[in-house]
Amino acid sequence: MCGIVGYVGNRDAANIIISGLRRLEYRGYDSAGVALSPEGENTLKVVKRAGKIVNLEAGVQKELPTSEEPYAGLGIGHTRWATHGQPTEENAHPHLSQNGQFAVVHNGIIDNYAGLKEKLIADGYTFKSETDTEVIAHLIEACYDGDLRGAVARAVETLEGTYGICVISSLHPKLMIAARKGSPIVIGVCKGETIVASDVSAIVSHTDQVIFMDDGDILTATPDTLDITSLKNVPVSRPPTTIDWDLGEIEKGGYEHFMLKEIYEQPVALANATRGRLVPKEGSVKLSGMQMDAYEMARIDRVSIAACGTSLYAGMVGKNFFEEFASIPTEIQQAAEFRDRNPIVLRDTCMLAISQSGETADTLAAVREATRKGATVLGVCNVVGSTIARETGRGVYLHAGPEIGVASTKAFTCQVSVMAMMAIAMGRTRRLSEHAGQAMVEELARIPELAQRVIDRNDEIKAMAEKYASKNDFFYIGRGYMFPAALEGALKLKEISYIHAEGYHAAELKHGPIALLCDDVPVVAAAPMIPGREKTIANMQECRARKSPVVAIATEGDSEIKTHADDVIWVPDCMEFVSPIPVVVAEQLFAYHVARARGCEIDQPRNLAKSVTVE
Ligand code: M6R
């Protein structure tokens, strides 16, 4: 979603902000802008453009004087993903106050903006955009009495909704203020300068020392000082965290797209997700982040999983794990639904919030609701220090490394692995035997190799994808562990290739969707050598009888399946519980190559954002 970068220091703010915004491009956006405070000019210079950052860069080059000296050492920038109003130049951030002396960039949504706007208009303020953000700029002007921090604090106190904001003023050429409630702001701690951003990716090239602001914090930064206070101006101490990403991890490293790089990174990501956690001798695992002893684990009588998108489908796989290995009744819910339908949370419910980014608004809302209702809430997140990770306080990190491609890939396979480990840990306090645990732990040690063996078939999968790339409708089917795999395969295809693709339980096909099958509608059937395969083969026959071409995803050596499919993508043999990993890696490669053959913009698909921070 939207991205923020702010800079105060002695270097060229425009350059630093624009390169930071580039690092945030993956989040999805449709316009961009900067506001700069040139030394000694007593004015703010704003450049905004609809469309991509190249347009903004061209605008900056055209509108700013060229000189050896930095034009400004203070500035804020933004990439906007439209919510209120079209993606136009007028609606792009930064927004200026009425007198032009205050500029603000904002992530989040102000729920009470309409009422505030009405009042401001009655007080003589005029609006140039359709955004909710512009009210913040005017409110800061209205609250200003010589103290910029105080004005921001008073302004945000009137806001309902979510915000991460960064503010500068022409009246304070060396001062940057940031505030947050619900939308992340990270501070990069550097010598002689401060950089803030909505995401660490924009900061890692400058420093590995970052501070994650909390809701209600206000940052006051000058080139030499950095103070965090509460809205009431009480100092707050937030020690820096060291980020262990290096720059290479957030660059393409020779791959054509981040998505392909991240698919290829899965063997390493899976090894990192399991490293130091498997205890083969005991047939168990060590997950210290769960902060639960055997007694507490044994008391859990229900697991409730909340997540969105790909994380939701990983959660569906996880549901099988908790029920099968730990015999704990488990429910899985779309995170927004969890909150909206006022769920019953029993005393010994353990809620898992699954989120790659750790910032998804619906999942965060579910975390807060479950916490309020007394559940034990664990985060299963990838991004260290993200809001869900911090608010849950305990859980298991994926250690998958940064995921930049909008289409989630390595997060899914690592989420599945992490939940398998969590279920083994819980199962070992119950009926899961040491022997059974050992077999599972040994299998988990093999998953990097399983993923690699699918990746080794990239060329075959590519050829097959190119054969089907002209089709406009697809079905994905599967049963048991393959049902969430079918949903995930269809999601991958639709989000990056814009092909209409539906994931269905294989048994459900004949209850309606079969009416759509014909020779132009291929069916991808996930049918590896696990329980349910025979029945899925029967469903494949039903599809072929309606002339649909069938692409099977099947276990190497399964010669029978070839007779029931037009094409086969081979995956290595493995135990049932890890089978979604190789199958989904195959689906990721298939979707990637279809999208590439269709010339789609794979890393930043239209209308999509990497982390969805609005409800
Ligand atoms: O960061 P999260 O895992 O919470 O994100 C959830 C979904 O927004 C995300 O998985 C989305 O569906 C991806 N674009 C799927 O590829």
Coordinates of all heavy atoms in Angstrom, one line a residue, residues 307-313 354-361 363 380 388 403 405-409 411 415 488 491-492 495 605 608-612, ligand 1:
A307 N -6.4 -15.1 9.1 CA -5.4 -14.6 8.1 C -6.1 -14.2 6.9 O -7.4 -14.3 6.8 CB -4.5 -15.8 7.8
C308 N -5.4 -13.6 5.9 CA -6.0 -13.2 4.7 C -5.2 -13.7 3.5 O -3.9 -13.9 3.6 CB -6.0 -11.7 4.5 SG -6.8 -10.8 5.9
G309 N -5.8 -13.9 2.3 CA -5.1 -14.2 1.1 C -4.3 -15.5 1.2 O -4.8 -16.5 1.7
T310 N -3.1 -15.4 0.7 CA -2.2 -16.6 0.7 C -2.0 -17.1 2.1 O -1.9 -18.3 2.4 CB -0.8 -16.2 0.1 OG1 -1.1 -16.1 -1.3 CG2 0.2 -17.2 0.3
S311 N -1.9 -16.2 3.1 CA -1.7 -16.6 4.5 C -2.9 -17.4 5.0 O -2.8 -18.3 5.8 CB -1.5 -15.4 5.4 OG -0.3 -14.7 5.0
L312 N -4.1 -17.0 4.5 CA -5.3 -17.8 4.8 C -5.2 -19.2 4.3 O -5.6 -20.2 5.0 CB -6.5 -17.1 4.2 CG -7.9 -17.7 4.5 CD1 -8.3 -17.6 5.9 CD2 -8.9 -17.0 3.6
Y313 N -4.7 -19.4 3.1 CA -4.6 -20.7 2.5 C -3.6 -21.5 3.2 O -3.7 -22.7 3.4 CB -4.4 -20.6 1.0 CG -5.5 -19.9 0.3 CD1 -5.2 -19.2 -0.9 CD2 -6.8 -19.9 0.7 CE1 -6.2 -18.5 -1.6 CE2 -7.8 -19.3 0.1 CZ -7.5 -18.5 -1.1 OH -8.5 -17.9 -1.7
I354 N -1.7 -15.2 11.2 CA -0.7 -15.6 10.2 C -0.6 -14.4 9.2 O -1.6 -14.0 8.6 CB -1.1 -16.8 9.4 CG1 -1.5 -17.9 10.4 CG2 0.0 -17.3 8.5 CD1 -1.5 -19.2 10.0
S355 N 0.6 -13.8 9.1 CA 0.7 -12.7 8.2 C 2.2 -12.5 7.8 O 3.0 -12.4 8.7 CB 0.2 -11.4 8.9 OG 0.5 -10.3 8.1
Q356 N 2.5 -12.6 6.5 CA 3.8 -12.3 6.1 C 4.3 -11.0 6.5 O 5.3 -10.9 7.2 CB 3.9 -12.4 4.5 CG 5.2 -12.3 3.9 CD 5.9 -11.0 3.8 OE1 7.0 -10.8 4.2 NE2 5.1 -9.9 3.4
S357 N 3.5 -9.9 6.2 CA 4.0 -8.6 6.5 C 3.8 -8.2 8.0 O 4.6 -7.4 8.5 CB 3.1 -7.6 5.7 OG 1.7 -7.7 6.1
G358 N 2.9 -8.9 8.6 CA 2.6 -8.5 10.0 C 1.9 -7.1 10.1 O 1.8 -6.6 11.2
E359 N 1.4 -6.6 9.0 CA 0.7 -5.3 9.0 C -0.7 -5.4 8.4 O -1.3 -4.3 8.3 CB 1.6 -4.3 8.2 CG 3.0 -4.1 8.6 CD 3.1 -3.4 10.0 OE1 2.1 -2.9 10.5 OE2 4.2 -3.5 10.5
T360 N -1.1 -6.5 8.0 CA -2.5 -6.6 7.4 C -3.5 -6.1 8.3 O -3.7 -6.7 9.4 CB -2.7 -8.0 6.9 OG1 -1.7 -8.3 5.9 CG2 -4.0 -8.2 6.2
A361 N -4.3 -5.1 7.9 CA -5.2 -4.5 8.8 C -6.3 -5.4 9.4 O -6.6 -5.4 10.6 CB -5.9 -3.3 8.1
T363 N -6.1 -8.7 9.7 CA -5.5 -9.7 10.7 C -5.2 -9.0 12.0 O -5.4 -9.6 13.1 CB -4.3 -10.3 10.0 OG1 -4.6 -10.7 8.7 CG2 -3.8 -11.5 10.8
V380 N 2.4 -15.5 13.6 CA 3.2 -16.2 12.7 C 3.6 -15.3 11.5 O 2.8 -15.1 10.6 CB 2.5 -17.5 12.1 CG1 3.4 -18.2 11.1 CG2 2.2 -18.4 13.3
I388 N 1.9 -6.8 14.0 CA 1.3 -8.0 14.6 C 2.3 -8.7 15.5 O 2.0 -9.2 16.6 CB 0.8 -8.9 13.5 CG1 -0.4 -8.2 12.8 CG2 0.4 -10.3 14.0 CD1 -1.0 -8.9 11.6
E403 N 10.2 -10.4 1.5 CA 9.5 -10.8 0.3 C 9.0 -9.6 -0.3 O 8.2 -8.8 0.2 CB 8.3 -11.7 0.7 CG 7.6 -12.4 -0.4 CD 6.4 -13.2 0.0 OE1 5.4 -12.6 0.4 OE2 6.5 -14.5 -0.1
G405 N 8.1 -9.3 -4.0 CA 7.1 -9.5 -5.0 C 5.7 -9.5 -4.4 O 5.5 -10.0 -3.3
V406 N 4.8 -8.8 -5.1 CA 3.4 -8.7 -4.5 C 2.8 -10.1 -4.3 O 2.1 -10.3 -3.3 CB 2.6 -7.8 -5.3 CG1 1.1 -7.9 -5.0 CG2 3.0 -6.3 -5.1
A407 N 3.1 -11.0 -5.2 CA 2.5 -12.3 -5.1 C 3.4 -13.1 -4.1 O 4.6 -13.2 -4.2 CB 2.6 -13.0 -6.4
S408 N 2.7 -13.5 -3.0 CA 3.4 -14.1 -1.9 C 3.8 -15.5 -2.4 O 3.0 -16.3 -2.9 CB 2.5 -14.2 -0.7 OG 3.2 -14.6 0.4
T409 N 5.1 -15.9 -2.1 CA 5.6 -17.2 -2.6 C 6.3 -17.9 -1.4 O 5.7 -18.8 -0.8 CB 6.5 -17.1 -3.8 OG1 7.6 -16.1 -3.4 CG2 5.8 -16.7 -5.0
A411 N 6.7 -17.0 1.5 CA 6.0 -16.9 2.8 C 5.1 -18.1 2.9 O 5.0 -18.7 4.0 CB 5.3 -15.6 2.9
Q415 N 5.3 -20.5 6.0 CA 4.2 -20.6 6.9 C 3.7 -22.0 7.2 O 3.5 -22.4 8.3 CB 3.0 -19.7 6.4 CG 3.2 -18.2 6.5 CD 2.3 -17.5 5.5 OE1 1.7 -18.0 4.6 NE2 2.1 -16.2 5.8
E488 N -4.7 -21.7 -3.6 CA -3.4 -20.9 -3.7 C -3.0 -20.8 -5.1 O -2.6 -19.8 -5.6 CB -2.4 -21.4 -2.7 CG -1.0 -20.8 -2.9 CD -1.0 -19.3 -2.6 OE1 -2.0 -18.7 -2.2 OE2 0.1 -18.6 -2.8
L491 N -5.2 -18.4 -6.9 CA -4.9 -17.0 -6.5 C -3.6 -16.5 -7.2 O -3.6 -15.4 -7.7 CB -4.7 -17.0 -5.0 CG -4.4 -15.6 -4.4 CD1 -5.4 -14.5 -4.7 CD2 -4.1 -15.6 -2.9
K492 N -2.6 -17.4 -7.2 CA -1.3 -17.0 -7.9 C -1.6 -16.6 -9.3 O -1.1 -15.6 -9.8 CB -0.3 -18.1 -7.8 CG 0.5 -18.3 -6.5 CD 1.4 -17.2 -6.1 CE 0.7 -16.1 -5.3 NZ 0.4 -16.3 -3.9
E495 N -3.8 -13.3 -9.7 CA -3.2 -12.0 -9.3 C -2.1 -11.5 -10.2 O -2.0 -10.3 -10.4 CB -2.8 -11.9 -7.9 CG -1.7 -12.8 -7.4 CD -1.4 -12.6 -5.9 OE1 -1.7 -11.6 -5.3 OE2 -0.9 -13.6 -5.4
P605 N 1.5 -6.2 -9.8 CA 0.3 -6.3 -10.6 C -0.7 -5.2 -10.3 O -0.7 -4.6 -9.2 CB -0.3 -7.7 -10.0 CG 0.7 -8.2 -9.0 CD 1.7 -7.2 -8.8
L608 N -3.1 -4.1 -7.0 CA -2.7 -4.9 -5.8 C -1.6 -4.1 -5.0 O -0.9 -3.4 -5.5 CB -2.1 -6.3 -6.2 CG -3.1 -7.2 -6.8 CD1 -2.4 -8.6 -7.0 CD2 -4.3 -7.4 -5.9
A609 N -1.7 -4.4 -3.7 CA -0.7 -3.8 -2.8 C 0.0 -5.0 -2.0 O -0.6 -6.0 -1.8 CB -1.3 -2.9 -1.8
K610 N 1.3 -4.8 -1.7 CA 2.0 -5.9 -1.0 C 1.4 -6.1 0.4 O 1.2 -7.2 0.8 CB 3.5 -5.6 -0.9 CG 4.3 -6.6 -0.2 CD 4.2 -8.0 -0.9 CE 5.0 -9.1 -0.2 NZ 4.6 -10.4 -0.7
S611 N 1.2 -5.0 1.1 CA 0.5 -5.2 2.4 C -0.7 -4.4 2.5 O -0.7 -3.2 2.2 CB 1.5 -5.0 3.6 OG 1.9 -3.7 3.7
V612 N -1.8 -5.0 2.9 CA -3.1 -4.3 2.8 C -3.4 -3.8 4.2 O -3.9 -4.4 5.1 CB -4.2 -5.3 2.3 CG1 -5.5 -4.6 2.2 CG2 -3.8 -5.9 1.0
Ligands
M6R1 O1 1.1 -9.9 4.7 P1 0.0 -10.9 4.8 O2 0.4 -12.3 4.8 O3 -0.9 -10.6 6.0 O4 -0.9 -10.6 3.5 C1 -2.1 -11.3 3.3 C2 -2.5 -11.1 1.9 O5 -2.8 -9.7 1.6 C3 -1.5 -11.6 0.9 O6 -1.2 -13.0 1.1 C4 -2.0 -11.5 -0.6 O7 -3.2 -12.3 -0.8 C5 -0.9 -11.8 -1.6 N1 -1.0 -10.8 -2.6 C6 -1.1 -13.2 -2.2 O8 -0.1 -13.4 -3.1

